[in-house]
Each structure stands twice: as C-alpha cells, then as structure tokens.
Amino acid sequence: MSFDVAQIREDFPILHQEVHGKPLAYLDNAATAQKPRQVIDALARFYERDNGAVHRAVHALGARSTEAYEGARATVARSLGATDPREVVFVRGTTEAINLVAAAWGRSRVASGDELVITEMEHHSNIVPWQLLCDAVGARLRVVPVNDRGELLLEELDAILGAGTRLVAVTHVSNVLGTLNPVREIVERAHAAGALVLVDGAQGVPHMPVDVRELGCDFYAFSGHKVFAPTGIGALWARREILEELGPWQGGGGMIASVSFEKTTWAGVPERFEAGSPNTGGAVGLAAALEYLEAAGPGAVERHERALVEYAEPALRAIPGLRLIGEPADRASVLSFVMDGIHAHDLGTILDREGVAVRAGHHCAQPLMERYGVPATVRASFALYNTREDVDALVAGLHAAREIFGA
Ligand code: PLP
C-alpha cells in the first residue's frame, strides 16, 4: 500500500475541526499524538463487549479480556522486533518504564561508587529516576555532552565508560532537537565496557521502524499516547534473562506466586512487574494503534515525516530573526526554534490563534535549554498525518507574529 496522507487524515476525526476559526494544524505530536478511528473503535468495542478482570478468570468476559490483554502484549513484542511477548511489561508510559528499571534493576545491581551514564539531551524522565537511584545507593551520574549541532559527542562517551559503568541510558530521538542517536554504536561501546543500555523510545516508535534486536539494547521504553494509543499505557521491553533475575519493584495482587505472612514468592515474568489490576483497555488500544502503524508502514511514515522536516527547515530558516536550536545531520520529526524579541510562550499563543498547535517551553529538558542558553523554545513536531499545509500554516503564523511584535 502506498502512503496516502489524505486517506490517513480521514482516520483521525479530531483533525477535522477549526480552532479560533482556522483549520487545525496539529504540530504538538512529540507531547501527545491524536487517535485514529480504529483505536477509538477498538476501545469502544472492548468496553461494550469484553471488559472483565484479567487472569484467573472463571467467566467468559474475564477470559476474553485476558486474551485481549495477552494478545496486546504479543503485538507490542512484534512491533519492537522481539520474539518473546514475556519480555514486554505493561506500564503507564516511558516515565514509569524507566522508574521500573531504576527500582527493580538499579536498586539491586548498582552499588556505591558505580557509575550511570546519561546524555545532555535527555528528557527529565531519563534523568531524575537515575538521580534518585544515585542518591539512594551512592552511585555517580555521568553526562555525555552534545555539540552545537545537537549531536552526541561519542568520544566523550568513550572517555566516560569504564569498569564501574553499569548502565548507559539514552534517548532514541531527542524530543527537543529531533536528533536520531546512533543507538547501535552506543550499545556496542557500552557493552564492550560491560554496561547495559536503556533506550528511551518515546520519540522513536511513533516515527520509524524499531527493532530491539537490531539495536542490541537491553531495555527499550515507550509511551502509548505518543503512538496514537490512549494515555496511561506504555511498555517496557527488556531482555528476558535480565528480567528473570530481578525481584519486583511494586507489591500487590497479580505479581506473586504465593503469599503468607511468613514468606511471599514472586510470579514469573512479566507478571512480577505488573502489580495490581492492569490497564486492559489501554493495552487493547495500544495494540490497535500499533497495528494501525504497522499497516501504514513505519518506513513510509519515517520517509513522510522526514520530507516534511526537509520542507519546513528552509522555510523556517528564511524567517528573519528565527534561530533553529540544534541542526543535527540525522533529524527525525522535531524542529525547535527561538525568535528574536518574542518569547516562546507568546509565539505559541499567537500560533494558537492561527489554528497552529505547537509546544512552547523547556520540553522537560531543562539541562539542554541551559546548554543552548535559552529558557524555552517553540517546538513543532510531526506525525504521520501532518501535511505541507500544516507547515505553511506554521510559517504564515510566524510571519504574523513578527508583524504583531514589530520584530
Ligand atoms: N522521553 C522522551 C524523549 C519524551 O519526549 C517524553 C515525553 O514527552 C518522555 C520520555 C516521557 O513520556 P511520558 O510522559 O509519556 O512518560
């Protein structure tokens, strides 16, 4: 099937509306993405027909829900190129996935004097859990810097990696700069030093084919709501042999083999990491979203979005006073910029009046803002349903802002 953006847009009811009297140009996909009719219908179907409590079900609805939930796990595994669904843990999103690894793996595998490595371009959710872990166990957090273009300085990674390095945690794609990081190369270097690698895939899965076996990483985390699924669901993929060796991170129902006041034993994986009633509807929605993406073709989605970025970049550059933040050689789906004399939040507000939805702020990446010496940027981020018309609306809105501010 060839990639037909007009047909894709037909699947997303929310896109067909006016905001402040202007056609909506939704360019805030890095924050959260819209949902196709196929996902909305799958949720409605599940709640109209199948909803019951999963696992140990003695009635039909419970059995159907269990089948849907475990089927969704298999879909997640397949979409990540993993062969074993038991390597997939359902979580609330990327943030919870990283906290899970920091708690279950970190508390038992990282000791005083050990080192954890992150990068200067991480989202707060791939910084703060590691800071908490370092504080708790007495480990040290090291940071790989970026160059002015917004690319990781891999020679600095080599200098940091050592016998005490336990983990490298890196984002697949920067949510501010759009930089597509060379994950395979990072994995090779980290593994050679004896460290594991966690990839924050929040900005990866929605925009390109992802294959965890090809990447070679040990953990991969992503959020459903950024990949056209509901909020409150996401997944952590981890190599099974790593998961098998870890103890739980939260206690409760569903994660035990047996409980007594004297001794409690743990369920196998992944149940050991899924305490409490799971978000079954969310998992159903996530599977529907990943199937939708699979049908659209992740490779075609990537090419479509790259073409949009290539169309947008020179048009933005041509606006007097506009400065792009980060110009990486390999950029996916995100453009950040500032404009002389106009605060990012004012720009965002003016663009909204023009029907253009963007993000303005620090994008949960305050250390990166500091690196570039800006308090905030405006960020336009693309998804499979965006068009050149959306880019044109953005550019026109920015010209309008210059006039309003006399910039
Ligand atoms: N990592 C990156 C790169 C992100 O862009 C985001 C969300 O903006 C997150 C992590 C956190 O995702 P969530 O809030 O869905 O857990």
Side-chain angles (χ1 to χ4, degrees):
M1 189 189 84
S2 67
F3 189 82
D4 180 349
V5 68
Q7 200 180 329
I8 292 217
R9 288 179 71 80
E10 286 304 307
D11 293 331
F12 289 81
I14 204 169
L15 298 178
H16 306 282
Q17 63 175 294
E18 293 195 341
V19 170
H20 306 303
K22 305 277 172 57
L24 170 65
Y26 188 79
L27 296 173
D28 194 17
N29 297 287
T32 200
Q34 302 304 346
K35 323 302 172 197
R37 172 68 64 202
Q38 289 81 343
V39 168
I40 298 166
D41 287 350
L43 284 173
R45 244 187 345 263
F46 174 74
Y47 285 116
E48 283 172 7
R49 209 183 57 188
D50 297 330
N51 179 49
V54 297
H55 300 148
R56 303 173 310 282
V58 294
H59 59 73
L61 270 55
R64 272 191 239 149
S65 290
T66 303
E67 202 177 307
Y69 185 65
E70 294 306 328
R73 200 189 299 282
T75 302
V76 172
R78 192 182 66 233
S79 77
L80 295 178
T83 47
D84 186 352
R86 307 204 72 73
E87 296 184 323
V88 172
V89 183
F90 281 120
V91 288
R92 282 191 295 134
T94 309
T95 303
E96 189 169 76
I98 296 172
N99 277 278
L100 189 166
V101 177
W105 175 84
R107 296 285 175 130
S108 60
R109 298 296 189 277
V110 181
S112 175
D114 286 348
E115 293 192 344
L116 304 171
V117 180
I118 59 171
T119 85
E120 209 170 15
M121 67 169 80
E122 298 311 313
H123 187 280
H124 295 165
S125 65
N126 203 22
I127 301 174
V128 184
W130 307 120
Q131 289 176 322
L132 291 171
L133 175 62
C134 285
D135 284 350
V137 303
R140 181 173 174 216
L141 194 61
R142 307 288 304 271
V143 181
V144 180
V146 299
N147 62 20
D148 287 345
R149 296 168 62 85
E151 297 153 342
L152 291 179
L153 292 169
L154 291 188
E155 60 277 16
E156 297 285 335
L157 170 66
D158 288 336
I160 288 173
L161 287 170
T165 314
R166 292 283 156 265
L167 179 84
V168 176
V170 61
T171 192
H172 197 169
V173 173
S174 162
N175 67 312
V176 176
L177 310 167
T179 314
L180 174 58
N181 284 319
V183 170
R184 252 183 83 128
E185 221 175 310
I186 292 168
V187 167
E188 276 164 23
R189 294 173 191 218
H191 281 179
L196 299 183
V197 177
L198 176 141
V199 180
D200 171 348
Q203 303 297 343
V205 181
H207 306 292
M208 65 195 66
V210 173
D211 187 320
V212 288
R213 298 287 155 178
E214 236 172 64
L215 293 175
C217 57
D218 303 287
F219 304 101
Y220 193 98
F222 74 98
S223 299
H225 70 103
K226 295 184 199 284
V227 69
F228 320 112
T231 43
I233 189 73
L236 170 72
W237 171 86
R239 283 200 286 117
R240 179 141 177 198
E241 58 273 25
I242 297 176
L243 282 182
E244 295 276 8
E245 286 189 355
L246 299 180
W249 76 302
Q250 291 179 337
M255 49 71 72
I256 53 86
S258 71
V259 175
S260 73
F261 290 121
E262 289 71 38
K263 183 168 174 58
T264 291
T265 57
W266 316 133
V269 299
E271 289 79 11
R272 192 183 305 164
F273 305 102
E274 293 182 358
S277 302
N279 181 357
T280 313
V284 167
L286 178 58
L290 292 172
E291 279 161 11
Y292 183 84
L293 197 52
E294 202 173 3
V301 168
E302 184 177 20
R303 285 189 293 279
H304 172 73
E305 292 180 12
R306 282 195 181 235
L308 280 179
V309 168
E310 276 167 28
Y311 177 70
E313 229 182 293
L316 291 177
R317 247 185 249 288
I319 298 173
L322 186 146
R323 177 161 64 98
L324 285 171
I325 300 296
E327 307 195 28
D330 208 354
R331 190 203 290 275
S333 73
V334 178
L335 288 162
S336 273
F337 52 89
V338 291
M339 229 161 137
D340 286 346
I342 315 179
H343 192 279
H345 284 113
D346 292 333
L347 264 182
T349 306
I350 293 168
L351 288 171
D352 176 55
R353 303 298 305 177
E354 300 295 321
V356 181
V358 294
R359 199 110 190 129
H362 55 59
H363 316 295
C364 296
Q366 285 183 342
L368 192 63
M369 296 292 114
E370 201 165 308
R371 162 69 177 78
Y372 283 97
V374 292
T377 74
V378 174
R379 177 183 71 185
S381 53
F382 302 100
L384 79 176
Y385 40 65
N386 286 121
T387 60
R388 286 185 168 207
E389 286 71 35
D390 293 333
V391 175
D392 294 343
L394 169 68
V395 171
L398 291 169
H399 282 295
R402 283 192 70 235
E403 272 176 31
I404 291 168
F405 277 83

